[in-house]
Amino acid sequence: MVKDIQDKIIRLKQSNDVCILAHSYMSEEICEVADFTGDSYALAVKAMSVSQKTVVMCGVRFMAETVKMLSPDKKVILSHPDAGCPMAEQFDRKYIEQIKDKYKGYAVVAYVNTTADIKAVSDVCVTSSSAVKICRAIPEKNILFIPDINLGRYVAEQIPEKHFEFIAGGCPVHSNIGVEEALKAKAAHPSALLLVHPECNHEVTATADYAGSTSGIMEFAAKSENSEFIIGTENAIVQHLQFKFPDKKFYPLSKNLICADMKLTTLQDVLNCVQGAGGQEIIMDEELRLSAVKCILKMIEYGG
Ligand code: 13P
Ligand code: SF4
């Protein structure tokens, strides 16, 4: 059954000139039919160079918006209309503008997990893998980091020469994991290395052997000589790693590391999208796109 749907998707994406992008939090069966898999930023950059006129983004809304910002001439479809990122949608533009008033002269650094509306009032965008590099490279000494306080603190710790301010935002999935759970997992698997996403709480990240983006975690596990790992990010990554490296062992840091929004997209949704009958097309006002894309282009300029 799964194989039949996958074969249909592969046939239709070719005849309908569709490129499928899948964030690494998607299920194995969706990643198998994707043209590219990876982290949110890598996928948006990849979409710029593909020949297909339609791109289906299997992930959450801010990811599809980022693809649209960088590829305005393509038709961009979000795989499931209800798939949002609670962190990206936590604050509205008005709230960020009020905070900016309080921190005049600060560079507003926005995590890529933000809406186009928030990017439009930010100075530079960062991803979990480029945040330290970009915050170090920008000329401003004072930085207002939005919206993820955990990622922000992780970055600030590595750049003590700069001054950071934060807002109380974050990922409800990653930030829900406490340090007790991390210590318990380490005690249960004493030979395993703990690899976490910096969206986790500061205390959890501090106990980790590595902190980085979803792609960073996968690369670390691939290259490491170690054979056991506790994975502190969405549990789809545990599944992908176990498929890729059957001789290594991967344990979830917590059974609660499940992003409900990322789980919304099914293989059938992907089929509906390539048939032109599913998902939701991202329509973005050109004025908004131009203001929002500026902070992404700035990140690229600073080597993100
Ligand atoms: P990456 O940018 O590392 O893929 O992370 C996206 C995300 O939503 C993490 O929770
Ligand atoms: Fe957003 Fe967290 Fe889900 Fe990532 S895991 S998409 S940050 S809610």
Side-chain angles (χ1 to χ4, degrees):
M1 179 68 176
V2 167
K3 180 84 176 65
D4 289 346
I5 303 179
Q6 284 182 321
D7 288 346
K8 241 185 188 175
I9 293 173
I10 293 167
R11 249 194 342 267
L12 282 168
K13 73 173 180 175
Q14 275 153 7
S15 55
N16 293 347
D17 197 31
V18 177
C19 170
I20 301 175
L21 305 176
H23 186 266
S24 325
Y25 287 169
M26 290 290 113
S27 66
E28 195 67 29
E29 61 193 31
I30 291 177
C31 289
E32 278 171 1
V33 296
D35 295 273
F36 302 100
T37 59
D39 60 28
S40 53
Y41 174 67
L43 291 175
V45 171
K46 196 79 218 171
M48 292 163 79
S49 62
V50 303
S51 60
Q52 292 94 330
K53 294 203 169 47
T54 302
V55 176
V56 173
M57 178 69 230
C58 303
V60 291
R61 185 169 296 275
F62 83 85
M63 297 178 180
E65 280 188 354
T66 311
V67 172
K68 185 68 184 175
M69 279 177 220
L70 291 171
S71 302
D73 297 332
K74 292 196 194 314
K75 180 173 181 175
V76 179
I77 313 281
L78 170 64
S79 52
H80 193 295
D82 297 334
C85 163
M87 160 150 63
E89 289 154 24
Q90 209 163 13
F91 302 103
D92 63 11
R93 185 177 177 144
K94 207 164 151 216
Y95 176 79
I96 299 298
E97 279 173 336
Q98 279 167 3
I99 300 285
K100 273 177 70 167
D101 275 350
K102 207 171 141 197
Y103 294 106
K104 283 206 168 53
Y106 279 60
V108 180
V109 175
Y111 187 25
V112 69
N113 294 38
T114 41
T115 59
D117 238 16
I118 301 291
K119 286 189 178 78
V121 291
S122 303
D123 297 309
V124 61
C125 184
V126 295
T127 64
S128 46
S129 49
S130 70
V132 174
K133 189 176 178 184
I134 306 291
C135 288
R136 203 171 263 141
I138 58 174
E140 290 89 348
K141 197 172 175 296
N142 293 325
I143 292 173
L144 173 62
F145 194 101
I146 61 168
D148 189 349
I149 191 166
N150 290 324
L151 176 64
R153 282 200 178 135
Y154 167 76
V155 174
E157 236 174 37
Q158 291 170 71
I159 318 177
E161 66 278 17
K162 294 208 176 187
H163 175 76
F164 285 75
E165 293 289 342
F166 310 103
I167 56 173
C171 164
V173 180
H174 288 83
S175 66
N176 206 20
I177 308 304
V179 71
E180 310 74 29
E181 217 162 340
L183 295 175
K184 206 169 136 198
K186 281 176 90 164
H189 308 290
S191 310
L193 296 179
L194 173 62
L195 319 182
V196 306
H197 200 287
E199 288 173 12
C200 286
N201 275 327
H202 180 253
E203 299 76 25
V204 172
T205 307
T207 63
D209 298 286
Y210 171 81
S213 70
T214 48
S215 310
I217 289 175
M218 292 180 87
E219 273 166 36
F220 185 98
K223 287 188 188 144
S224 171
E225 305 257 295
N226 217 66
S227 57
E228 289 184 58
F229 305 88
I230 302 161
I231 303 298
T233 192
E234 223 281 346
N235 285 337
I237 301 294
V238 179
Q239 192 195 11
H240 297 322
L241 284 168
Q242 199 59 78
F243 264 107
K244 269 196 175 152
F245 307 105
D247 296 337
K248 296 186 173 186
K249 279 192 176 149
F250 300 93
Y251 312 106
L253 167 55
S254 164
K255 62 179 170 37
N256 296 323
L257 271 166
I258 292 174
C259 175
D261 285 81
M262 283 285 185
K263 292 286 172 274
L264 279 177
T265 301
T266 62
L267 194 61
Q268 183 64 43
D269 290 322
V270 183
L271 176 60
N272 294 344
C273 288
V274 292
Q275 282 174 324
Q280 184 179 37
E281 183 177 356
I282 302 293
I283 306 287
M284 196 176 292
D285 174 75
E286 184 60 2
E287 202 180 317
L288 172 63
R289 188 190 75 80
L290 288 172
S291 343
V293 80
K294 274 195 271 178
C295 72
I296 300 179
L297 297 176
K298 194 86 165 272
M299 166 168 72
I300 296 173
E301 182 191 321
Y302 279 107

